Amino acid sequence: MRDFGLFYTGGSILESDGISAITFGVIRAKDEGDFADEHISDLKNLSRHMHRALKVRQTIESRDAGFALVKSVSDRAPYSIFVLDEHLKVIEGNSEAREMLEDSDGVSLNQGRLWLSDAMARQRLEAIAKLGRHVHTAEDSNLPASFAVNRPSGAPPLWVSWTPAVDTSSPMTAILKGVARPAVILFITDARREWRISHEALVRHFELTDREADLVSGLVRGETLEQICDLLMITQNTAKTHLKRAFQKTATARQADLVRYVISAHLLRMPED
């Protein structure tokens, strides 16, 4: 407590990890007398509560940052990711999952719950969701770790694999907050989906020219060299020259190795120009 002539003042500076985070103070008029022992005790108690609040805030901010990072990474994945509760309610999904729902060919939403058009696949998913929180891995259950979903359009089936979701919240916390508890994470692949790759990332990451990047993008999409020539309106000799230089810059020697290397560089799902 400090005497400033006209008033007394008291307070605290709270720090966490050596960083000043919260400062608070109280003022008492001089004619009301100095702070009594019980006032000082109250200030100490308040400081402890505010320090706990600071820790909680930092924990929340740290988790939010972690969730944002996970979401950013999952949005780059070239397959759909769904986080479901035990009633198949969709808690979270990546950008591929949202596009799959828009296509509505085998996978859709029914009152907020994931719906598979294939009856057998739907029964398997219902069993998996109920079991999800009670096993550590898909292999721990007697249910298939992956299964197909036949589609109404007759297109090649979707393939679903799954893993139990890790839920760090208590049941009481979930009830109080009204938050659905995750039970299972689904990974759904669609053979019709094209691999997407960023032209800009190819140029920046491998120091390719624009034409070399165009050619590599075409190979990743599964196009033949002849198809790429037609698309870019270049001769096969020019295409082979671009391909040779792409081989040199990626330290590869075959088209299959080049495509595999580019995919493994995690440049997929970035925005295309």
Side-chain angles (χ1 to χ4, degrees):
M1 302 300 167
R2 298 181 62 185
D3 181 356
F4 281 85
L6 296 178
F7 55 84
Y8 295 96
T9 181
S12 180
I13 298 176
L14 302 181
E15 294 185 353
S16 181
D17 299 327
I19 300 175
S20 176
I22 296 178
T23 302
F24 74 93
V26 292
I27 295 174
R28 184 180 178 87
K30 186 73 176 272
D31 57 9
E32 293 183 8
D34 200 350
F35 289 94
D37 290 342
E38 61 267 25
H39 299 148
I40 296 174
S41 178
D42 289 342
L43 284 173
K44 289 180 179 179
N45 288 332
L46 179 60
S47 294
R48 285 194 289 269
H49 287 304
M50 293 187 71
H51 191 266
R52 293 192 190 100
L54 174 60
K55 287 290 188 181
V56 170
R57 188 190 73 180
Q58 290 178 323
T59 299
I60 293 173
E61 289 177 347
S62 176
R63 290 190 176 185
D64 284 347
F67 291 149
L69 177 61
V70 169
K71 182 171 178 56
S72 174
V73 171
S74 69
D75 279 342
R76 290 171 176 255
Y79 44 80
S80 298
I81 301 176
F82 291 95
V83 180
L84 309 177
D85 71 3
E86 62 183 341
H87 304 294
L88 304 184
K89 180 181 178 181
V90 177
I91 299 173
E92 189 59 76
N94 67 345
S95 57
E96 278 289 332
R98 291 188 288 273
E99 291 186 25
M100 181 171 286
L101 290 175
E102 289 179 4
D103 291 342
S104 192
D105 185 16
V107 178
S108 59
L109 284 181
N110 182 7
Q111 297 182 341
R113 294 176 171 81
L114 199 68
W115 175 265
L116 304 182
S117 60
D118 184 325
M120 182 174 293
R122 189 165 62 249
Q123 291 175 359
R124 287 175 173 171
L125 179 58
E126 290 171 352
I128 287 169
K130 291 177 181 178
L131 184 67
R133 286 203 301 268
H134 305 290
V135 295
H136 295 291
T137 67
E139 289 71 22
D140 292 339
S141 71
N142 58 356
L143 297 170
S146 62
F147 56 91
V149 179
N150 293 313
R151 298 196 273 192
S153 68
L158 301 168
W159 279 96
V160 180
S161 58
W162 65 279
T163 187
V166 177
D167 182 14
T168 58
S169 64
S170 67
M172 183 57 68
T173 299
I175 292 172
L176 291 174
K177 291 184 176 180
V179 177
R181 298 179 66 200
V184 63
I185 303 175
L186 299 187
F187 306 91
I188 307 180
T189 56
D190 183 352
R192 296 186 309 174
R193 300 289 289 176
E194 290 183 346
W195 292 100
R196 299 182 183 183
I197 195 160
S198 166
H199 179 97
E200 180 184 350
L202 280 174
V203 172
R204 183 179 63 253
H205 193 79
F206 297 113
E207 298 183 353
L208 302 180
T209 65
D210 286 334
R211 276 306 195 197
E212 291 164 1
D214 289 337
L215 184 141
V216 172
S217 295
L219 293 175
V220 172
R221 290 193 300 268
E223 297 168 358
T224 66
L225 207 57
E226 291 76 14
Q227 291 172 326
I228 294 172
C229 288
D230 292 339
L231 182 64
L232 301 180
M233 293 183 291
I234 58 176
T235 66
Q236 287 205 20
N237 286 335
T238 300
K240 289 178 180 178
T241 298
H242 291 324
L243 181 59
K244 181 179 179 180
R245 290 173 179 165
F247 283 154
Q248 292 172 343
K249 294 177 180 179
T250 56
T252 56
R254 298 185 307 164
Q255 291 185 30
D257 293 334
L258 173 61
V259 170
R260 189 180 302 110
Y261 182 53
V262 168
I263 291 174
S264 68
H266 304 294
L267 303 180
L268 300 174
R269 292 298 305 148
M270 295 179 70
E272 291 184 310
D273 293 342

